Amino acid sequence: MKSLHTNDGAVIAPAADGGLLDRRLFLKKGLVFGTFALASDHIPADELQRTAAMLTPGAPFSGYGQPSPFEQGLLRNVAANAAVAGNGASMTPLERLAGTLTPSGLHFERHHNGVPKIDPALHRLIIHGKVAKPLSFSLERLKRYPMTSHLCVIECGGNSFSGWHKEAMQGTPGSLHGLVSCSEWTGVPLSLLLHEAEPAADADWIIAEGADAAALNISIPRAKAMDDALLALYQNGEAIRPENGYPMRLVLPGWEGVTQVKWLRRLETSDRPVMSRNETAKYTELQPDGSARQFTFSMGVKSVITAPAGGYRLTEQGYYSLSGLAWSGQGRVASVDVSADGGKTWAEAELCAPVLPKAYTRFRIPWQWQGQPATLQSRATDEHGNMQPTRARLVQERGQAGYFHYNAIISWQVEPDGYIHHIFA
Amino acid sequence: MKSLHTNDGAVIAPAADGGLLDRRLFLKKGLVFGTFALASDHIPADELQRTAAMLTPGAPFSGYGQPSPFEQGLLRNVAANAAVAGNGASMTPLERLAGTLTPSGLHFERHHNGVPKIDPALHRLIIHGKVAKPLSFSLERLKRYPMTSHLCVIECGGNSFSGWHKEAMQGTPGSLHGLVSCSEWTGVPLSLLLHEAEPAADADWIIAEGADAAALNISIPRAKAMDDALLALYQNGEAIRPENGYPMRLVLPGWEGVTQVKWLRRLETSDRPVMSRNETAKYTELQPDGSARQFTFSMGVKSVITAPAGGYRLTEQGYYSLSGLAWSGQGRVASVDVSADGGKTWAEAELCAPVLPKAYTRFRIPWQWQGQPATLQSRATDEHGNMQPTRARLVQERGQAGYFHYNAIISWQVEPDGYIHHIFA
C-alpha cells in the first residue's frame, strides 16, 4: 500500500489499497484531525452581507410540513406493471438519504393490486380458525392495548433481483437495491392478541390476509407470530401511511416484506400453510437441481455503498466520506469491511451508533480519490458470523434462475473521469 | 391498596392505588398474560365478507407518500403572533403520536420572522471571527465530510410556559407541552469544521446566525460546539424540512431549541458572547430575588402522559395502556414513576427500548379504570439522579415570573364521567 499525504504534507498510512483511510481519521485527535480542506479560505464580501431571503419575512407556519421545493427530485422510483392496475413497486432513493431512518413518504412500496382506501372506523381485525375464541377488534379498542416499538428494516424478498441477471443492470443504489427501508414501527405485540383467542395446540400456522383488492394472503409460522411479531398501527411516530398498510399491518422483524401483510384484516389459525400464490409460484427460489426453496422467511446479511455510487459522477479529486447501509435479518451488524480495489484489500468501516438488531446500520470510511480507477465494495458481517457472500459464491450455491433473496456484495466501478457504474465483480 | 380482578376472576395485586397495575402484566407469561378482553367475541358474518375496497383495484404508486385522508386532523397546533409576520410557534400533537420519533412534518416550529426560502446551491456557511483561517463552505462540499447522527429531542426553552401561570390552562398534551420533538439528525460534527478554521486560544464563544429575516443570533460556548454539536443537513433520513432549517441547522443535543440555530449561515468565534436579544431580553429567567438566570442551556428531566390525557374523554371503563414520553437534556432516562392518585402512591412504568441519551423514551403502564376519579401524573428520573420536581417545589425555587425551563410534574384529572382536564396538583 502506498502512503498518502494530507494537504499540509503529513503522511497518512492507508487502511487498504485504492485510497481507503483509517475510519477514525477525521474524528479522533492524535490522528489527522480536521484536514479535509474542502472549504474555500476566501470569503467574498457579499457572503457576509444579508441575503435576499433575510430582507423580507419568510413563509408562515404550516399544519403539516413538506420537503423544500428545491428537493422536488426526492422521490421514490416507481416501476409499475402496465398490465395490472396497482401491481409493481416503488423504490427508496437510498442515494439521497443519510442517517438510518427512511422517511415514511419514501418507504418502498410493493403492491399487488393498488392501495386500498380504508376507513379506520369501519376496519376490523378478525382472529379465527383453530381458536377457542374467535375475536374481532376495532382500531379504537386496539389502541388501548400495550404497545411496543421495533426500529427495523423491511426488505422485499425480491430486492436486488437484477443481481441474478447475466449482466449488471445500470442504475442508482435506490433504483437497483431500494426495495428496503427502515422505520420505527409501533403497535400491539401480536402474541397478546393471539393468546387472547386461545389457538388450538396444533395451530402451527397463522394465515394473514390483507384488505386490498389482491386479498394478499400468506402463511406465518406460529412461533414467529408469538415471538417479536407486531400488529403495527404507527410508522415513524404517526399513523401508518396508506401505501404501507393504513390503518394496520404486520411487522415481522428481519423477515421478507411479503409476510408483513399490509391492510391486515384477518388472521386465520391453521394446522397447515395455505399454499397461496405468494408462497408457491412467487417468493420461492428455484435451485440449480430443479427443486425450490420455500418459506425462506429471514433476510440475509447485506450492505450497499450509497455514496459515492452508481449513477453519479465525482467532479473533483480529494477526500470523500464513503458511506452506506448494512443490515441483517438475523440480528445486529457486527462489522462492515470496505474495499476500493474489488476485494483484494479491505479496511474496516466505522459503524454509526446506535447499532440495533435487524435495523439499518450506517457505515462510513474516508477515501482519497486522486483520479485512480476504483472498484468500491462493502461486505457486512452480522453478530452470528454470517458474512455477505461474493456474487460468485452466491451464484455457485444458488444458480442464476432466482429472483429472491439476493444479498451478494455490490460493486461500483469508478472510472478515471469520475463516472460510476454498476458492475459484477 | 385494593386488589383487582381480571375478567376471568383472577386476582391482580395493584402496583399503586387508583387502578395502576404491574407494568409487566400483559407482556410476561406467568403474570396475567393476555386478558385485556377488549375484543368482541362475536364475529358478524359480514366481517368475513370481502370489503368494498377489496372489489376494485386501489390507488397507484406515488413518488412521495402522504398521510391517509382519514388523518386530516393530524396537524401541528399553530399559535402565531398576529402583529409580527412569521413570529410564533406550532406545536407537535403529542397525543396523536406513538413510539418515540416525531415525523418531520409534525416537528414543532418556532420562528421569529417566518421560514426563509433558501436555494441550497447558493447557500454558504461561513466560519470567521477569531480564527486563523476564515472559511466558506458550500453544501456540496459539506456533503463530502464525515457525518454522524444524533437521535435526540429538541425542546423549546419556552415549552410548557403556561405552567408558570396561576391557573392551569386547558388543552391537550400537544397544545400545552408540544414545543418538543424527537428526530434523527445527521450531519457533520461541528468540531471538524471549527478545527479546520483554527480558532484563537481565547475564542471561548461561537456566535451563530441564521439566514432568516430575523437574522436570529445566539452565543454558544466553544466547549459545547467542540463536544457533540452537529451541523445537521438531514432530519429523519432526508434533507431537513424548510421550517426546521433547510438546508442546514445546528443541533446541540439536550440544549434549548433557540441555541440550535436554523438556516445557519455564519459562525463567528469570539472571546465573549454577543448579548443578543434572545440571550438577554428573552430565554433568560427572572428569579424571585429580581436577578435573572442567563445561559441556561441544558433542558431538565421531564415527562408527560400523552394518553389518556387532557382534552379527551374515556368512553368506556376497563383496561387502558397508559402511555407517555420522558426525556432529559442531560442523558438517559433511568426510570419513570406513574401515579393515579395525584402523587400519594407511585408505580414504576415500563420503558420501551431503545433508551437513548437526550432522546424520547416512551413509557407505559396498564391502568384499570372503573369510573373512579383519578389524578394521573408521571415523574421521570435521569441517569444522573435528576428527578422531575413537583410544581410546588419548582415554583418555590424559581417563583412564578418565569416563562422558560418549566419541567414540573404534569397532572391530568380524570372525572367520573370520563372527561380529562389539566390541573395543577
Side-chain angles (χ1 to χ4, degrees):
Chain A
M1 299 178 199
K2 284 180 286 187
S3 285
L4 300 166
H5 293 81
T6 66
N7 291 22
D8 53 8
V11 177
I12 307 171
D17 277 338
L20 291 171
L21 306 180
D22 188 294
R23 66 190 185 278
R24 296 154 299 190
L25 193 60
F26 296 102
L27 294 179
K28 305 287 186 209
K29 290 171 193 179
L31 283 164
V32 187
F33 182 85
T35 54
F36 242 73
L38 292 172
S40 166
D41 58 4
H42 170 66
I43 302 179
D46 66 333
E47 289 189 6
L48 289 167
Q49 302 298 316
R50 297 205 169 190
T51 62
M54 298 175 77
L55 302 180
T56 50
F61 296 88
S62 57
Y64 198 101
Q66 297 295 339
S68 162
F70 293 100
E71 299 290 332
Q72 284 180 347
L74 183 59
L75 298 170
R76 294 186 279 228
N77 200 325
V78 177
N81 179 344
V84 183
N87 184 274
S90 77
M91 284 141 273
T92 298
L94 303 176
E95 62 281 0
R96 299 284 298 266
L97 305 182
T100 64
L101 292 168
T102 308
S104 299
L106 295 174
H107 194 289
F108 86 88
E109 304 170 86
R110 169 75 179 109
H111 322 134
H112 298 255
N113 209 176
V115 180
K117 183 175 177 181
I118 297 177
D119 183 340
L122 303 179
H123 187 77
R124 294 290 178 274
L125 171 66
I126 293 165
I127 303 181
H128 66 144
K130 297 195 85 173
V131 296
K133 296 183 186 169
L135 297 173
S136 169
F137 296 85
S138 69
L139 188 66
E140 194 185 352
R141 290 284 188 81
L142 281 169
K143 286 184 175 174
R144 287 169 54 189
Y145 276 76
M147 294 196 200
T148 190
S149 300
H150 291 304
L151 205 165
C152 63
V153 158
I154 298 182
E155 183 177 13
C156 178
N159 192 28
S160 311
F161 66 86
S162 75
W164 299 112
H165 293 183
K166 298 287 181 196
E167 288 184 21
M169 209 167 137
Q170 289 312 310
T172 60
S175 69
L176 297 173
H177 308 288
L179 289 173
V180 58
S181 308
C182 184
S183 289
E184 184 194 54
W185 299 98
T186 299
V188 184
L190 194 60
S191 58
L192 278 185
L193 305 177
L194 287 171
H195 189 94
E196 203 159 308
E198 297 177 18
D202 66 346
D204 291 332
W205 291 86
I206 318 283
I207 298 147
E209 184 185 82
D212 61 330
L216 185 140
N217 64 344
I218 204 143
S219 309
I220 296 158
R222 177 180 177 159
K224 179 69 174 179
M226 297 301 282
D227 180 19
D228 58 356
L230 201 65
L231 176 72
L233 309 177
Y234 299 91
Q235 176 185 10
N236 294 335
E238 68 188 327
I240 292 177
R241 295 286 168 96
E243 67 271 27
N244 270 293
Y246 183 85
M248 60 184 69
R249 73 173 297 169
L250 286 180
V251 170
L252 308 179
W255 281 26
E256 57 185 357
V258 71
T259 62
Q260 308 190 41
V261 178
K262 298 190 285 191
W263 316 294
L264 186 72
R265 76 179 207 108
R266 203 159 66 83
L267 294 170
E268 183 174 352
T269 57
S270 172
D271 58 4
R272 69 199 72 180
V274 69
M275 293 295 183
S276 70
R277 175 175 186 275
N278 286 312
E279 63 201 33
T280 54
K282 301 289 177 183
Y283 299 97
T284 52
E285 299 153 67
L286 185 61
Q287 299 300 294
D289 68 359
S291 68
R293 303 203 314 174
Q294 192 183 18
F295 302 128
T296 49
F297 299 116
S298 181
M299 298 303 291
V301 60
K302 191 164 172 179
S303 69
V304 58
I305 293 170
T306 55
Y312 287 81
R313 186 189 176 187
L314 305 179
T315 55
E316 290 183 315
Q317 297 189 14
Y319 290 113
Y320 286 84
S321 182
L322 198 152
S323 173
L325 294 165
W327 63 95
S328 167
Q330 269 102 69
R332 285 181 174 76
V333 169
S335 64
V336 178
D337 299 313
V338 171
S339 175
D341 58 7
K344 291 187 197 76
T345 62
W346 295 91
E348 194 177 345
E350 178 86 11
L351 304 185
C352 303
V355 179
L356 300 173
K358 305 179 184 180
Y360 275 162
T361 296
R362 174 67 62 176
F363 64 87
R364 63 182 170 72
I365 189 165
W367 178 55
Q368 196 179 38
W369 186 63
Q370 297 171 308
Q372 73 276 25
T375 305
L376 303 177
Q377 298 183 325
S378 61
R379 181 181 66 188
T381 303
D382 73 18
E383 62 184 329
H384 305 295
N386 302 306
M387 184 189 277
Q388 194 176 0
T390 61
R391 183 167 181 277
R393 201 188 116 208
L394 189 68
V395 165
Q396 185 185 22
E397 283 179 9
R398 308 244 307 270
Q400 277 191 278
Y403 189 90
F404 301 99
H405 287 264
Y406 184 90
N407 73 324
I409 289 170
I410 293 162
S411 305
W412 304 116
Q413 181 67 29
V414 183
E415 302 295 353
D417 60 7
Y419 281 103
I420 307 176
H421 57 267
H422 186 214
I423 63 166
F424 287 156
Chain B
M1 298 179 199
K2 285 179 284 188
S3 284
L4 300 165
H5 293 80
T6 67
N7 291 20
D8 53 9
V11 176
I12 307 172
D17 277 338
L20 291 172
L21 307 180
D22 189 295
R23 66 190 187 280
R24 296 153 302 191
L25 193 60
F26 296 102
L27 293 180
K28 304 285 187 211
K29 291 171 192 179
L31 284 163
V32 187
F33 182 85
T35 53
F36 242 72
L38 291 172
S40 166
D41 58 4
H42 170 66
I43 301 179
D46 66 333
E47 289 190 5
L48 289 167
Q49 302 298 314
R50 296 204 169 190
T51 62
M54 299 175 77
L55 303 180
T56 50
F61 296 88
S62 56
Y64 199 102
Q66 297 294 337
S68 163
F70 293 101
E71 299 290 332
Q72 285 180 346
L74 183 60
L75 298 171
R76 292 186 281 226
N77 200 325
V78 176
N81 179 344
V84 183
N87 184 272
S90 77
M91 283 140 274
T92 298
L94 302 176
E95 61 281 0
R96 299 283 299 267
L97 304 183
T100 64
L101 291 169
T102 307
S104 300
L106 295 172
H107 194 290
F108 86 87
E109 302 170 88
R110 169 77 179 106
H111 322 135
H112 298 255
N113 208 176
V115 179
K117 184 175 177 180
I118 297 176
D119 183 339
L122 303 180
H123 187 78
R124 294 289 178 276
L125 171 66
I126 294 165
I127 302 181
H128 66 143
K130 297 195 86 173
V131 295
K133 296 182 186 170
L135 298 172
S136 169
F137 296 85
S138 69
L139 188 65
E140 195 186 351
R141 290 283 187 81
L142 281 167
K143 286 185 176 174
R144 288 169 53 189
Y145 276 76
M147 295 197 198
T148 190
S149 300
H150 291 303
L151 205 165
C152 63
V153 158
I154 298 182
E155 182 177 14
C156 178
N159 192 28
S160 311
F161 66 87
S162 75
W164 299 111
H165 293 183
K166 298 287 181 198
E167 290 185 20
M169 209 167 137
Q170 290 311 309
T172 59
S175 70
L176 296 173
H177 308 287
L179 289 174
V180 58
S181 308
C182 184
S183 288
E184 183 194 54
W185 299 98
T186 299
V188 183
L190 194 59
S191 58
L192 278 185
L193 305 177
L194 287 171
H195 188 92
E196 203 160 307
E198 298 177 19
D202 66 346
D204 290 333
W205 292 85
I206 318 280
I207 298 146
E209 184 185 82
D212 61 329
L216 186 139
N217 63 345
I218 205 145
S219 309
I220 297 158
R222 177 180 176 159
K224 179 70 173 180
M226 296 302 282
D227 180 17
D228 58 356
L230 200 65
L231 175 72
L233 308 177
Y234 299 90
Q235 176 184 10
N236 294 333
E238 68 188 327
I240 292 177
R241 295 286 169 97
E243 67 271 28
N244 270 292
Y246 182 86
M248 61 184 69
R249 74 173 296 170
L250 285 180
V251 169
L252 308 179
W255 281 27
E256 57 184 358
V258 71
T259 62
Q260 308 190 41
V261 177
K262 299 188 286 192
W263 317 295
L264 186 71
R265 76 179 206 108
R266 203 160 65 86
L267 294 171
E268 183 174 352
T269 57
S270 172
D271 58 4
R272 69 200 71 180
V274 70
M275 292 297 184
S276 69
R277 175 176 186 274
N278 286 312
E279 62 200 35
T280 53
K282 302 289 176 182
Y283 299 96
T284 51
E285 299 153 66
L286 185 60
Q287 299 300 294
D289 67 0
S291 68
R293 303 204 313 173
Q294 192 183 17
F295 302 127
T296 50
F297 300 116
S298 182
M299 298 303 291
V301 61
K302 191 164 172 180
S303 68
V304 56
I305 293 170
T306 55
Y312 287 81
R313 186 189 176 187
L314 305 178
T315 54
E316 291 183 317
Q317 296 188 15
Y319 290 112
Y320 287 84
S321 182
L322 198 152
S323 173
L325 294 166
W327 64 96
S328 167
Q330 269 101 69
R332 284 181 173 76
V333 170
S335 64
V336 178
D337 299 312
V338 172
S339 175
D341 58 8
K344 291 188 197 75
T345 61
W346 295 91
E348 195 177 345
E350 178 86 11
L351 305 185
C352 302
V355 179
L356 299 174
K358 306 179 183 179
Y360 275 163
T361 296
R362 174 68 63 175
F363 64 88
R364 62 181 172 70
I365 190 166
W367 178 55
Q368 196 178 40
W369 187 61
Q370 296 170 311
Q372 73 277 23
T375 304
L376 303 178
Q377 298 183 324
S378 60
R379 181 181 66 188
T381 303
D382 72 18
E383 62 183 330
H384 305 294
N386 302 307
M387 184 188 279
Q388 194 176 2
T390 61
R391 184 168 180 279
R393 201 187 115 208
L394 190 69
V395 166
Q396 185 184 21
E397 284 178 8
R398 309 243 307 268
Q400 277 190 277
Y403 190 90
F404 301 99
H405 286 263
Y406 184 90
N407 72 325
I409 289 170
I410 293 162
S411 305
W412 304 117
Q413 181 66 30
V414 183
E415 302 295 352
D417 60 7
Y419 281 103
I420 307 176
H421 57 267
H422 186 214
I423 63 166
F424 287 155

